[in-house]
Amino acid sequence: MNADLAIQVSGLNKHFGDRHAVRDLSLQVRRGEIFGFLGPNGSGKTTTIRMLCGLLLPDTGSGACLGYDILRESAGIKRRVGYMTQKFSYWDDLTVRENLDFAARMYGIPRRREVVDRALEGLGLTNRSRQLTGALSGGWKQRLALAASLLHDPELLLLDEPTAGVDPAARRDFWEELHSLSARGISVLVSTHYMDEAERCHKLAYIASGKLLAQGSAAEIIHAQGLTTWLLRGNDLTGLSRKLQGLPGVLQTVLFGAMLHASGTDGLLLESTLRAITADSCCRMERFETSLEDIFIYMMNRVDTPGTNAP
Amino acid sequence: MRLSDEFSPARWWGMVLKEFLQLRRDRLTFAMIIGIPLAQLALFGFAINTDPKQMPMAIISADGSDITRTIISTMKGSGYFRIVGELPSEEAGRRALAQGEVLFVLTIPAGFTRSLLRGEHPSLLLEADATDPTATGMALASVTQLSHSVSVKDLTGPLAALAGGEPPFRILVHRLYNPEGISSYNIVPGIMGVILTLMMVLMTGLAITRERERGTMENLLAMPVRPLEVMTGKLVPYIAIGMIQSTIIFLAARLIFNVPFTGSVVTMYLAAFLFVIANLTVGMTISSLAQNQLQAMQLTMFYFLPNMLLSGFMFPFHGMPRWAQILGNLLPLTYFNRLIRGIFLKGSTLPLLWPNIWPLLLFTLIMMAIAVKFYRKTLD
Ligand SMILES: Nc1ncnc2c1ncn2[C@@H]1O[C@H](COP(=O)(O)OP(=O)(O)OP(=O)(O)O)[C@@H](O)[C@H]1O
Ligand SMILES: [Mg+2]
């Protein structure tokens, strides 16, 4: 076992009845790393995270979190991991303070009052601490849940879509906080659907239909797919996008507002197709760094329609 | 590291506090805690009148005299009986009883007065329809006093010699159709066990399934709190509720229904405590098995009905068929009914009650083991 790794699991499988929710999944997360976990809805992110902290038992596979075996030593994991569930899971009929206080008691945190006071202050909820949690807005609930999962100074944070429904300013604060935690050596596994957040992670993993499709830094993942992308600007991009579908070399078109991304693995073929098209329409085209979003859409489509796989 | 895997009183107390806080804010449950016992008491106590008056009585008189008329009017005076008329024969009396036209038939035999004057202590026959013993019980109890009160007030002149000592005549009571004849006092103490069964099982049954349904179970499971701490922590508030409900019913029994209480209050609370725990473990088992609150509710009803029907609350235990008695012997309410009736009505003490205490203890242990075994430590 490698002491540098906060999470090291291999060959994880999980079935729910007939559904194979997670297939042969292996992950390595280094200590102090912010590890982004991406994938479409229902791809198995939550299921994987639950297996990591002992909430679900994998059917097969093995591994360790913070050096504790995920199958046998889940008690040790629970004490040192901060887990934030995707669906808000604090008690609506307790006040904000009572929820934090309860969490603090469960983790046996010394000088509880002080810790809870500090957390409330950090949240900016000091004067609403007596409010029932159910009355908080969605974004505030997320922030409360995050604060609660940090109370016991965990060594590893498992955050399942922590910023869903959170406003941009709070999201920025949140990511700054994550980076300062990471600088202190705390490891973070965070699932998200936001590309800007993915770009802020040290490492990424992309999962679709329970299969891990890519793992590494953003640059590595982009490079590994070998996609070339061109940016097209002009009028009627929707029509252009439709025209491009199925043309030689064009594997994918994605519309981003006033821009169209056209990608393919055969750069030369793609370029010549695009030049032919743009010649007789009033479009401008330029070479573009393939973005993470292009890559994820590309990977997702390849899983869904295996017949169209590029060679 | 081993150490923190063990039961932690601090975490347990945190759990208890949380449950109390949540309970305090749950108005509906709070209303149920007070409301259900009161509703049940009203239903079984008042609506199903334990002390009905003015019940129809027919008379078969083969001897009409001043003395028999005095006896009849004294019976009327008690308020329990309403004379609906005379019947010609014993046969007619039986028919009237069987058809439910009257609840009582009083037979005055020929030569009653003469025999009374001779000091032969003759008997009157009072037949009662005891199908519903709660209906006739009080009336029959009042009749036993009758011969005394008649004798003292009305035997003057030559009859005065008969006053004092042995009553001048007897009233033979025949309870028809249901010789066992449970007294109405059985009902109100019995309600205590019925309510505790329903409330304790239902509320703990919901306690854990509620967490599961709301998604808070995932959070609880992710925390380093042990199953035993979660379960026992959740039990404490319900123990308190059980004791409050026992008190409500005890006070109602004494103050509203005037049920005699011959035993010790401490023994009663001890029995109630044991019984509450037994039911809480059932609730825990249910909440370990049920997927959601609806299922917990259904399982509670599934458990509650046989308790209600086979424990001797609704029907006299010894009047039930053999198979029903065997089933009844598996239910904690059967033992609690015997305990609470023994304490209320017979003044039973702990040693006397022991045969009905150990089955409760055994039941609790078994249920607790099942509940802990089935408690899911994961979301699977
Ligand atoms: N308890 C369960 N019982 C049955 N099926 C389940 C259960 N939990 C998850 N699944 C199934 O497993 C698959 C993976 O679900 P999971 O929640 O892990 O996806 P996800 O990647 O977290 O999705 P999202 O982005 O929507 O949160 C889904 O198809 C889901 O329907
Ligand atoms: Mg999810």
Side-chain angles (χ1 to χ4, degrees):
Chain A
M1 192 183 303
N2 191 334
D4 272 356
L5 292 177
I7 300 176
Q8 181 183 34
V9 293
S10 59
L12 291 189
N13 275 288
K14 183 73 190 176
H15 292 261
F16 294 109
D18 292 342
R19 187 181 293 270
H20 201 165
V22 173
R23 304 163 192 252
D24 288 325
L25 183 129
S26 302
L27 271 187
Q28 288 84 38
V29 177
R30 297 164 67 84
R31 286 197 192 253
E33 197 167 69
I34 300 181
F35 192 97
F37 200 25
L38 290 101
N41 292 133
S43 55
K45 300 182 296 293
T46 301
T47 307
T48 304
I49 294 175
R50 285 174 174 165
M51 287 192 284
L52 292 177
C53 58
L55 290 182
L56 285 175
L57 284 177
D59 300 332
T60 58
S62 62
C65 260
L66 301 170
Y68 293 96
D69 190 293
I70 58 165
L71 296 175
R72 289 185 310 272
E73 298 173 315
S74 63
I77 295 176
K78 285 174 185 176
R79 252 175 284 125
R80 286 166 180 77
V81 165
Y83 172 44
M84 178 175 165
T85 56
Q86 177 173 1
K87 179 176 179 289
F88 182 70
S89 61
Y90 280 83
W91 290 266
D92 281 345
D93 48 359
L94 294 183
T95 65
V96 173
R97 172 182 286 280
E98 285 161 359
N99 265 316
L100 289 171
D101 191 66
F102 177 71
R105 283 177 193 270
M106 291 305 105
Y107 287 99
I109 295 172
R111 283 179 295 146
R112 203 176 59 241
R113 231 198 125 72
E114 218 172 283
V115 171
V116 170
D117 280 340
R118 207 172 334 117
L120 282 169
E121 213 170 294
L123 272 170
L125 279 180
T126 306
N127 46 17
R128 287 160 77 187
S129 65
R130 287 170 183 283
Q131 198 173 335
L132 284 187
T133 305
L136 291 180
S137 76
W140 277 105
K141 284 185 183 173
Q142 292 293 93
R143 292 160 79 166
L144 168 65
L146 179 72
S149 69
L150 285 171
L151 278 181
H152 61 292
D153 286 330
E155 292 165 45
L156 169 66
L157 276 173
L158 301 173
L159 309 174
D160 199 354
E161 299 191 28
T163 55
V166 172
D167 67 49
R171 262 174 64 195
R172 191 197 53 221
D173 294 349
F174 166 77
W175 275 89
E176 272 169 16
E177 164 105 16
L178 278 197
H179 276 279
S180 75
L181 289 169
S182 140
R184 276 169 31 205
I186 292 168
S187 326
V188 181
L189 176 83
V190 52
S191 81
T192 177
H193 290 294
Y194 295 114
M195 285 308 130
D196 61 319
E197 294 187 350
E199 278 155 9
R200 296 176 123 170
C201 297
H202 300 128
K203 287 278 179 56
L204 294 171
Y206 187 82
I207 182 176
S209 302
K211 266 179 101 85
L212 197 69
L213 296 183
Q215 187 173 183
S217 67
E220 283 165 5
I221 288 180
I222 293 173
H223 185 74
Q225 298 298 324
L227 275 194
T228 309
T229 301
W230 289 79
L231 188 85
L232 300 154
R233 292 179 204 273
N235 297 323
D236 190 23
L237 290 175
T238 318
L240 181 62
S241 165
R242 214 173 301 125
K243 241 192 298 177
L244 285 172
Q245 307 274 330
L247 289 184
V250 182
L251 289 179
Q252 166 177 305
T253 57
V254 185
L255 196 57
F256 290 90
M259 295 175 294
L260 183 70
H261 291 194
S263 315
T265 40
D266 187 338
L268 292 175
L269 186 60
L270 175 69
E271 185 175 354
S272 64
T273 303
L274 291 178
R275 292 233 181 267
I277 284 277
T278 49
D280 49 66
S281 68
C282 46
C283 278
R284 282 172 293 120
M285 59 181 279
E286 54 190 277
R287 187 62 197 276
F288 185 71
E289 287 273 321
T290 307
S291 70
L292 267 178
E293 194 151 9
D294 295 314
I295 292 289
F296 289 146
I297 294 171
Y298 177 67
M299 287 195 286
M300 190 161 107
N301 289 336
R302 284 210 326 174
V303 177
D304 288 352
T305 50
T308 62
N309 275 8
Chain B
M1 198 199 104
R2 269 287 341 138
L3 211 81
S4 43
D5 278 358
E6 276 157 21
F7 190 92
S8 146
R11 278 199 304 253
W12 175 80
W13 180 240
M15 200 68 214
V16 172
L17 280 182
K18 164 182 163 294
E19 294 301 314
F20 266 117
L21 285 169
Q22 289 185 287
L23 197 65
R24 207 181 65 191
R25 299 201 175 103
D26 187 355
R27 297 239 176 90
L28 195 66
T29 301
F30 230 83
M32 272 195 345
I33 293 165
I34 311 286
I36 288 190
L38 293 183
Q40 291 258 0
L41 282 169
L43 214 70
F44 286 102
F46 287 121
I48 304 170
N49 198 340
T50 54
D51 191 9
K53 304 260 166 122
Q54 298 293 328
M55 288 175 289
M57 177 167 80
I59 292 166
I60 304 170
S61 179
D63 183 0
S65 69
D66 280 351
I67 290 178
T68 59
R69 275 189 287 279
T70 306
I71 291 172
I72 291 168
S73 73
T74 312
M75 283 179 85
K76 260 169 43 185
S78 75
Y80 285 110
F81 305 98
R82 177 166 53 88
I83 314 294
V84 293
E86 289 218 4
L87 291 172
S89 65
E90 197 179 319
E91 206 184 272
R94 278 298 168 97
R95 194 159 356 97
L97 278 170
Q99 289 171 348
E101 281 170 26
V102 295
L103 283 180
F104 301 95
V105 172
L106 180 71
T107 305
I108 303 168
F112 174 81
T113 308
R114 192 158 36 99
S115 163
L116 178 76
L117 293 174
R118 287 197 196 138
E120 291 171 338
H121 302 287
S123 294
L124 293 172
L125 176 65
L126 183 65
E127 290 164 290
D129 174 0
T131 309
D132 180 3
T134 56
T136 48
M138 294 298 285
L140 293 178
S142 80
V143 162
T144 56
Q145 305 297 319
L146 189 77
S147 51
H148 287 282
S149 53
V150 169
S151 57
V152 176
K153 271 190 296 172
D154 304 291
L155 303 182
T156 49
L159 298 176
L162 291 170
E166 213 184 329
F169 64 94
R170 277 185 290 270
I171 297 179
L172 295 177
V173 171
H174 282 185
R175 288 185 179 84
L176 302 177
Y177 311 124
N178 178 4
E180 169 126 25
I182 319 163
S183 118
S184 63
Y185 293 153
N186 269 343
I187 297 253
V188 172
I191 287 177
M192 190 184 289
V194 169
I195 286 179
L196 288 179
T197 302
L198 182 63
M199 294 297 289
M200 296 298 105
V201 174
L202 185 63
M203 288 201 295
T204 35
L206 295 182
I208 284 182
T209 45
R210 190 184 298 129
E211 303 258 12
R212 209 169 280 138
E213 217 166 86
R214 291 184 185 169
T216 50
M217 197 64 191
E218 183 171 6
N219 200 346
L220 212 50
L221 286 173
M223 292 174 172
V225 55
R226 295 189 29 86
L228 200 64
E229 291 159 6
V230 173
M231 290 190 144
T232 56
K234 276 182 173 291
L235 292 186
V236 172
Y238 298 114
I239 296 176
I241 289 172
M243 299 329 276
I244 291 172
Q245 291 187 321
S246 307
T247 307
I248 292 177
I249 296 161
F250 173 68
L251 291 178
R254 297 291 294 126
L255 303 178
I256 303 176
F257 297 98
N258 298 315
V259 179
F261 186 82
T262 52
S264 121
V265 176
V266 177
T267 315
M268 185 201 75
Y269 275 110
L270 196 73
F273 180 78
L274 267 179
F275 185 63
V276 163
I277 303 271
N279 279 301
L280 292 181
T281 56
V282 176
M284 282 290 149
T285 306
I286 285 180
S287 65
S288 293
L289 295 174
Q291 293 293 337
N292 51 47
Q293 296 197 63
L294 185 66
Q295 282 184 9
M297 219 109 90
Q298 289 167 333
L299 282 172
T300 303
M301 282 306 140
F302 184 73
Y303 173 77
F304 179 67
L305 279 179
N307 268 285
M308 179 102 166
L309 298 174
L310 304 180
S311 64
F313 171 74
M314 290 281 260
F315 312 111
F317 193 82
H318 296 289
M320 297 192 311
R322 184 97 192 98
W323 62 267
Q325 290 194 22
I326 291 171
L327 280 180
N329 275 328
L330 298 174
L331 303 171
L333 185 56
T334 302
Y335 301 99
F336 183 71
N337 273 337
R338 293 178 194 158
L339 288 177
I340 200 71
R341 285 171 179 167
I343 294 166
F344 258 89
L345 305 172
K346 300 176 193 161
S348 306
T349 51
L350 280 178
L352 262 175
L353 295 170
W354 178 245
N356 292 310
I357 288 179
W358 70 257
L360 278 184
L361 292 173
L362 184 67
F363 180 89
T364 305
L365 278 180
I366 293 172
M367 272 296 157
M368 194 76 191
I370 295 176
V372 172
K373 172 143 179 42
F374 281 100
Y375 179 85
R376 276 166 280 174
K377 295 181 199 79
T378 64
L379 291 169
D380 283 291

